[in-house]
Amino acid sequence: MPPPTVVSLMPQRYFFNLVGPVRAIEDPTGVEADTPDQAEAEARAVIAEMRASGDLPELGPGWRLEIRDAAGRLVRSIPLD
């Protein structure tokens, strides 16, 4: 019987941009994550932490968090309303 195949995930860089009705705040640094799901979990944790500490003010209707990969492709869009 052949040995099991091991799939190794390479971390990718994901960028979290705040996008509103008339402007965007881009993330120039990003974070490394193994999967888009992991990047989304990280983003949601950061949003919750920033809201709890008061560092993320109410942005108003129409704002969302866009998660983009290193090539600039939209991976997820999370409404912040």
Side-chain angles (χ1 to χ4, degrees):
M1 179 181 269
T5 302
V6 176
V7 176
S8 176
L9 296 176
M10 297 273 305
Q12 294 186 47
R13 185 152 299 272
Y14 294 93
F15 298 87
F16 304 144
N17 301 323
L18 291 171
V19 180
V22 294
R23 70 181 183 119
I25 303 168
E26 294 192 14
D27 171 13
T29 307
V31 299
E32 284 193 356
D34 291 328
T35 65
D37 289 339
Q38 186 182 27
E40 181 178 345
E42 176 77 19
R44 288 184 183 277
V46 169
I47 290 168
E49 184 178 305
M50 290 178 72
R51 282 187 170 152
S53 69
D55 290 333
L56 182 65
E58 289 300 319
L59 297 170
W63 281 85
R64 66 190 182 281
L65 178 78
E66 287 187 350
I67 303 173
R68 294 190 175 268
D69 66 13
R73 292 181 296 253
L74 181 64
V75 176
R76 302 277 162 83
S77 182
I78 302 168
L80 296 175
D81 300 81

